[in-house]
Amino acid sequence: MDVDLTGRTAVVTGGAAGIGRASAVLLARCGARVFVGDFSESIEDPDELENLEITVSRCDVRRESEIQALIEGAVEATGRLDILVNNAGIGMVKPIDDVSEEDWLNCIDTNLKSAFFGAKHAVRHMRPLGGGAIVNMASNAGLLPRAHDPVYSISKMALVGLTKSLGLCHAKDRIRVNCVCPGPVGGTRMMNADLDAADDRGAAERAVISASPLALAYNRMIDPHEVAQAVLYLVSDAAMMVSGTAIAIDGGKSLGVPPAVQTH
Ligand code: NAD
């Protein structure tokens, strides 16, 4: 997609790795000044981020004060905020019996509360500019809940709801709020952690691919860059009339029950 974001400032949370990193890189390649916040000090290929003049700061999105500081740092440096990508997230594969209050808070605070408070501080700076774009990284689990990760599914379904609610509230400010619903995305720390935890990694990978009709047809997972393209579209002027939507980049996983896998 040919998009020029020159002169625009973007904040991307969870940009040290995976989808957030791919999104930060793509926005920067399109000309945006990008500020990444992540609580991990392990940044994938930091040289590439430095070459693109992407500023990386430590930020735990579970704390409002840290998201506020990330956003205000970007505004202090550039005088504006045009784009916020609330991408940081964690998985939580546990049945209800095993979920502690701490697990619940960790998952909901990371995946949901962070996006609400990120939006709160972004809106303050976008409103005076006459508009802006917020993209929340939800999941196919935000469109169809899954049996193996109820807390994660709840967090992502609520994130889709938050997207619609804030899209409705801030259209008058010309602030667009949308979400992307990926899955399954290969090469991410989240996916690798799930596969590494399986007894048979190969079988687990085949099962993940088989649950998504297009992933199965291409015999591969979705690439983080393919998700980043949806982020780029949603923050671009091409999406000027798009708000409150949830774009599934999930190879059709949320469409329903896929056809049975051929075993011969
Ligand atoms: P990832 O683990 O590679 O990247 C997530 C990043 O978020 C990491 O850099 C991590 O350090 C950061 N992070 C986590 N908690 C944080 C916190 N409290 N404060 C700041 N940073 C924090 O995984 P990913 O797949 O790139 O995940 C990005 C988003 O995509 C998440 O919201 C995830 O739920 C969503 N998602 C991923 C998949 C998938 O298959 N990988 C599918 C659907 C949705």
Side-chain angles (χ1 to χ4, degrees):
M1 214 187 324
D2 193 13
V3 176
D4 185 5
L5 298 176
T6 306
R8 299 194 196 178
T9 299
V11 167
V12 181
T13 67
I19 296 168
R21 188 186 183 288
S23 301
V25 166
L26 185 59
L27 298 185
R29 285 196 196 289
C30 290
R33 268 289 274 125
V34 179
F35 295 78
V36 156
D38 201 301
F39 74 169
S40 169
E41 282 171 6
S42 160
I43 316 287
E44 272 172 30
D45 192 358
D47 291 347
E48 187 186 25
L49 301 191
E50 203 177 319
N51 290 340
L52 289 165
E53 294 181 19
I54 295 174
T55 303
V56 182
S57 318
R58 216 173 131 67
C59 168
D60 185 337
V61 298
R62 291 170 295 182
R63 302 189 202 297
E64 181 185 359
S65 59
E66 297 197 19
I67 304 172
Q68 181 175 4
L70 174 68
I71 288 174
E72 286 179 359
V75 173
E76 267 167 39
T78 64
R80 57 190 296 132
L81 178 71
D82 303 277
I83 295 162
L84 170 64
V85 184
N86 285 312
N87 163 79
I90 56 165
M92 179 69 60
V93 180
K94 280 188 180 185
I96 193 167
D97 291 326
D98 297 344
V99 175
S100 65
E101 187 178 5
E102 192 186 348
D103 290 333
W104 168 272
L105 289 173
N106 194 21
C107 188
I108 299 293
D109 287 1
T110 308
N111 295 358
L112 180 64
K113 178 184 145 188
S114 62
F116 181 82
F117 286 102
K120 171 181 164 182
H121 293 285
V123 160
R124 285 182 182 167
H125 295 289
M126 290 174 174
R127 213 186 255 129
L129 291 181
I134 298 173
V135 177
N136 298 318
M137 199 54 65
S139 166
N140 64 85
L143 300 171
L144 268 189
R146 309 184 298 208
H148 67 281
D149 57 6
V151 184
Y152 182 78
S153 294
I154 290 164
S155 74
K156 294 298 187 179
M157 294 201 93
L159 187 55
V160 174
L162 178 154
T163 301
K164 291 177 190 294
S165 176
L166 294 185
L168 198 58
C169 294
H170 296 291
K172 66 177 180 352
D173 303 315
R174 299 186 185 175
I175 297 169
R176 301 181 298 98
V177 188
N178 290 289
C179 66
V180 180
C181 297
V185 185
T188 58
R189 290 177 182 171
M190 181 180 286
M191 179 59 72
N192 284 334
D194 281 355
L195 296 179
D196 290 345
D199 293 337
D200 180 340
R201 201 183 196 280
E205 190 168 349
R206 284 192 297 281
V208 165
I209 290 174
S210 300
S212 169
L214 275 172
L216 183 59
Y218 285 105
N219 193 29
R220 69 165 174 86
M221 291 195 208
I222 297 151
D223 188 281
H225 298 98
E226 292 169 315
V227 183
Q229 289 290 343
V231 173
L232 178 63
Y233 164 68
L234 288 171
V235 305
S236 74
D237 293 346
M240 193 73 83
M241 285 292 165
V242 180
S243 196
T245 198
I247 297 187
I249 309 292
D250 67 353
K253 188 176 176 187
S254 55
L255 288 173
V257 180
V261 180
Q262 298 289 322
T263 51
H264 54 82

